[in-house]
Amino acid sequence: MTIQEEIRNLAQTRKAVILAHNYTRGEVQDVADYTGDSLELARKAATVDAEVIVFCGVYFMAETAAILNPGKTVLIPEPSAGCPMADMITGAQVRALKAEHPGAKAVCYVNSTAEVKAECDMCVTSGNAERVMATFGPDEEILFVPDQHLGGHISGLLGRTYTLWPGYCPTHQIITVKGIAEARAAHPGAPVLVHPECAKDVRAAADHALSTGGMCKFARESSEKEIIVGTETGILHRLRKENPEKTFYPVTERMICPNMKKTTLENLRDCLQEMKNVVVVPEPTATQARRAVQAMLAIG
Ligand code: 13P
Ligand code: SF4
């Protein structure tokens, strides 16, 4: 029996659904029930009919699934798969920020810990941030944590000023304006897609700043035959699989999130086999964090 067959058999026995982020290894995406961006996977986690959710991604994503599903068992194949950006702010730091800005609304990017979500009024993902942030009135003061780049991108789109926490993604910092210029020179005419976690000058040098789900949609719907992709290279697997007639070029092959690569077929099989690495978000944090995530899902 192949390891893929072992995993699928175990998933059936355990009544488990396997969710994989677009950045995970190709072989992990291929064995999963659903592959998607943070928003698509959070929505799936909120509605899926399974007793067990195995989250192949990073810890905050599995935590979000656990927050949304108090009655289900959420497993993560490799619990050390963290997100350095999510760890750039603590719950105590959000409390201190709110104390400095009484009356302000605190908004967290989904790339944050449960204790940070518990301090916030609203959560966003890169896939819905513009839509969700547009629901705040022009007079509302906004504190946006932890990603300065996503926050800066959305405030720019909406013509607003937010107080931005200086967090960032180390993987998306690898892309430079020079790298984009080199990719354009190598593939003339191909549009450049980058993730909103990229810095402002990089976003300005690109054609579109999109979530990973937005990139998949663009690739599907666009008539472009060649596309330059500025995000974690794991997404190329899905883009190429879904669009075999199109060619995708990474801005750089060096854009790898080491944590997203920690899920392997072996640790996925082992966690299902042993039902280990259960993600537990303690109370009252889980209940408090659920408000911000459900407020987001209610908007779309
Ligand atoms: P998406 O929600 O666009 O998939 O982004 C998740 C992420 O961690 C990007 O670095
Ligand atoms: Fe976190 Fe960046 Fe990895 Fe996404 S790519 S999980 S933001 S470190």
Side-chain angles (χ1 to χ4, degrees):
M1 199 183 337
T2 64
I3 188 162
Q4 285 88 350
E5 287 166 341
E6 270 187 87
I7 291 168
R8 291 310 320 167
N9 288 347
L10 281 163
Q12 204 173 10
T13 317
R14 306 290 191 219
K15 298 190 171 49
V17 66
I18 302 174
L19 306 182
H21 188 265
N22 289 326
Y23 293 161
T24 53
R25 294 168 186 273
E27 64 270 25
V28 171
Q29 297 184 31
D30 289 344
V31 83
D33 293 286
Y34 301 100
T35 300
D37 69 6
S38 308
L39 178 62
E40 291 159 342
L41 295 179
R43 281 197 186 124
K44 195 51 83 179
T47 53
V48 82
D49 181 23
E51 288 172 19
V52 176
I53 296 172
V54 187
F55 213 111
C56 304
V58 291
Y59 203 81
F60 76 79
M61 297 179 175
E63 242 182 10
T64 306
I67 288 165
L68 287 167
N69 291 284
K72 290 181 183 163
T73 303
V74 178
L75 307 177
I76 185 163
E78 176 46 66
S80 75
C83 168
M85 180 207 283
D87 293 333
M88 288 179 187
I89 188 165
T90 63
Q93 286 173 310
V94 181
R95 277 198 297 280
L97 189 64
K98 289 198 296 188
E100 284 168 27
H101 298 266
K105 290 283 183 329
V107 178
C108 58
Y109 186 20
V110 71
N111 295 37
S112 54
T113 60
E115 65 160 40
V116 164
K117 290 185 177 78
E119 298 295 337
C120 290
D121 302 287
M122 181 63 82
C123 181
V124 299
T125 77
S126 58
N128 65 9
E130 185 180 357
R131 202 161 58 244
V132 172
M133 296 309 290
T135 64
F136 286 103
D139 297 330
E140 286 182 284
E141 184 185 357
I142 304 290
L143 313 174
F144 193 97
V145 304
D147 186 16
Q148 59 182 301
H149 299 306
L150 178 67
H153 178 58
I154 302 301
S155 61
L157 289 177
L158 296 175
R160 300 284 311 275
T161 303
Y162 302 156
T163 297
L164 303 173
W165 191 257
Y168 62 90
C169 164
T171 300
H172 284 83
Q173 278 215 320
I174 293 172
I175 303 193
T176 60
V177 172
K178 184 164 168 272
I180 291 183
E182 286 167 0
R184 283 198 196 274
H187 312 291
V192 178
L193 314 183
V194 296
H195 197 276
E197 286 175 16
C198 293
K200 187 175 184 181
D201 58 345
V202 169
R203 296 194 309 269
D207 296 296
H208 304 281
L210 298 169
S211 70
T212 63
M215 290 183 189
C216 293
K217 185 168 184 278
F218 180 95
R220 236 182 357 258
E221 295 176 357
S222 155
S223 56
E224 301 286 352
K225 290 281 174 261
E226 297 189 326
I227 297 174
I228 298 168
V229 181
T231 194
E232 214 277 353
T233 55
I235 196 174
L236 294 167
H237 175 78
R238 178 166 168 200
L239 289 172
R240 289 172 178 154
K241 191 168 148 183
E242 290 182 351
N243 306 278
E245 74 294 357
K246 298 183 181 176
T247 310
F248 299 92
Y249 307 104
V251 173
T252 162
E253 297 279 1
R254 291 186 304 114
M255 271 204 71
I256 293 169
C257 173
N259 288 291
M260 283 286 183
K261 301 298 179 247
K262 285 186 179 172
T263 303
T264 62
L265 290 178
E266 287 73 22
N267 58 27
L268 171 55
R269 187 237 356 246
D270 295 347
C271 101
L272 267 167
Q273 177 83 58
E274 299 167 40
M275 290 293 284
K276 65 176 182 182
N277 307 332
V278 178
V279 177
V280 179
V281 181
E283 291 296 349
T285 307
T287 298
Q288 283 165 3
R290 197 174 303 122
R291 288 176 319 181
V293 180
Q294 280 180 337
M296 167 185 87
L297 292 176
I299 295 169

